Amino acid sequence: MRKKNLDSKKVNTKFVEIVFPIPTVRSFYYSVPDELQDQAKVGVRAVAPVGNRVTTGYIINTFEEIESFDKEIKPIEDIIDSIPFFDENYLRFAQWVADYYFASLGEVLEAAVPYGSDVESQKIVQVDPEYLFEEIKNSEVRRKNYIRLLQILSEKKEHTYKELQKKLKKENLYNKIWQAFAVLLPVQSVGVMGDARTYENVLALRAVTSVDGMTADWYNFEGKFLAKVSNLIINKVAGVNRVVYDISSKPPSTIEWE
């Protein structure tokens, strides 16, 4: 692992060296945003831009300072793991394997990741740009937090859960809602899908604001947002033909349903 010696100008921030599961022995250098500083460790996976795409690589070194590049050093976009997959000893072994089999270090580390840990499976939020544009345009100015949330969503077409969670925390929006969940009710409802009647399940959505959990109020989402969520659930989740939103406060109701 080495620092690039391009000039003597120092930059005071945290940097990482990353290898990707591609057939090249080259490693890449990135800066680390403030909200990811504590998570950027050797052995964790990071999401970062490579050329014209964003992909997942493995952090193999970290620096508190680095010789600056002729070009601007791009930041990583996310850290996938809370616990490193490998340490310095395993990294040396992986490098030996890569040299022996004429493979890249990134390809060897990729082969060592447990099945089902692929970051692609964590991309769960897909954005409808047209809906977000209309929602931002038509929302009341006083709903600053809601509008900011829509603006964050509009920054990309797709977000990982962890990435979105970090952005919301940074904007102090994550804690605006105390708790949110869905309840599949033990009742069925008559509906119409196409030309046929259906007799399927009801899903209740619940989101509340609170300070200590002793009292709570339901979160006042925009009606258009709830309509969008309802349509997505009914169209994408098999067996659900009705969605309701719980507007009960605590007291008299509790936050949870049971």
Side-chain angles (χ1 to χ4, degrees):
M1 320 310 167
R2 65 186 184 282
K3 298 181 182 180
K4 292 197 172 183
N5 187 19
L6 297 181
D7 61 49
S8 60
K9 185 179 179 182
K10 299 291 183 180
V11 182
N12 294 320
T13 187
K14 191 171 187 178
F15 298 89
V16 291
E17 182 181 7
I18 298 178
V19 293
F20 296 93
I22 55 179
T24 178
V25 296
R26 178 187 172 190
S27 59
F28 299 79
Y29 294 80
Y30 298 88
S31 61
V32 181
D34 291 342
E35 65 270 20
L36 299 177
Q37 296 270 330
D38 293 338
Q39 297 172 263
K41 305 173 184 176
V42 172
V44 301
R45 292 172 298 173
V47 179
V50 180
N52 60 357
R53 64 193 180 108
V54 176
T55 188
T56 306
Y58 301 85
I59 297 179
I60 61 172
N61 209 346
T62 63
F63 310 112
E64 293 301 325
E65 61 180 24
I66 193 171
E67 305 289 349
S68 67
F69 287 72
D70 292 335
K71 296 182 179 180
E72 181 182 359
I73 302 177
K74 295 181 179 180
I76 60 174
E77 294 195 2
D78 198 8
I79 298 289
I80 302 304
D81 310 303
S82 57
I83 300 175
F85 274 101
F86 54 85
D87 56 16
E88 295 283 355
N89 290 331
Y90 186 86
L91 187 58
R92 286 193 290 270
F93 171 72
Q95 185 63 68
W96 178 87
V97 173
D99 294 340
Y100 186 85
Y101 288 102
F102 300 99
S104 72
L105 179 57
E107 290 173 314
V108 173
L109 294 174
E110 176 79 356
V113 173
Y115 179 77
S117 300
D118 192 344
V119 66
E120 296 299 319
S121 66
Q122 300 186 38
K123 291 182 177 178
I124 60 170
V125 180
Q126 292 184 326
V127 174
D128 182 343
E130 293 183 4
Y131 167 76
L132 289 179
F133 176 78
E134 290 297 323
E135 190 71 359
I136 292 172
K137 183 175 68 173
N138 297 324
S139 293
E140 298 179 18
V141 177
R142 64 184 177 84
R143 303 209 65 188
K144 295 180 180 179
N145 291 331
Y146 180 69
I147 293 174
R148 183 56 190 143
L149 172 59
L150 296 176
Q151 291 171 338
I152 290 172
L153 287 171
S154 68
E155 291 174 0
K156 296 172 63 178
K157 290 184 178 180
E158 194 170 43
H159 302 261
T160 65
Y161 172 76
K162 286 187 177 180
E163 175 190 29
L164 193 55
Q165 186 181 52
K166 292 186 184 81
K167 287 182 178 180
L168 293 177
K169 285 183 176 179
K170 185 177 180 180
E171 294 287 340
N172 199 30
L173 293 174
Y174 184 78
N175 293 324
K176 295 295 181 181
I177 295 179
W178 173 272
Q179 191 171 355
F181 53 90
V183 181
L184 185 63
L185 302 181
V187 296
Q188 291 188 306
S189 169
V190 177
V192 178
M193 300 290 281
D195 296 328
R197 283 184 173 272
T198 61
Y199 191 60
E200 295 179 328
N201 298 298
V202 178
L203 187 74
L205 304 179
R206 176 80 157 148
V208 299
T209 59
S210 181
V211 175
D212 55 11
M214 300 302 293
T215 61
D217 197 8
W218 55 279
Y219 189 81
N220 188 17
F221 287 112
E222 290 278 355
K224 290 183 178 179
F225 174 78
L226 290 174
K228 181 73 173 181
V229 171
S230 174
N231 287 335
L232 284 173
I233 292 173
I234 292 173
N235 290 329
K236 299 291 186 180
V237 180
V240 174
N241 68 357
R242 190 179 299 271
V243 175
V244 297
Y245 185 56
D246 185 348
I247 60 170
S248 306
S249 298
K250 177 185 180 181
S253 303
T254 58
I255 296 175
E256 297 82 5
W257 276 49
E258 58 178 31

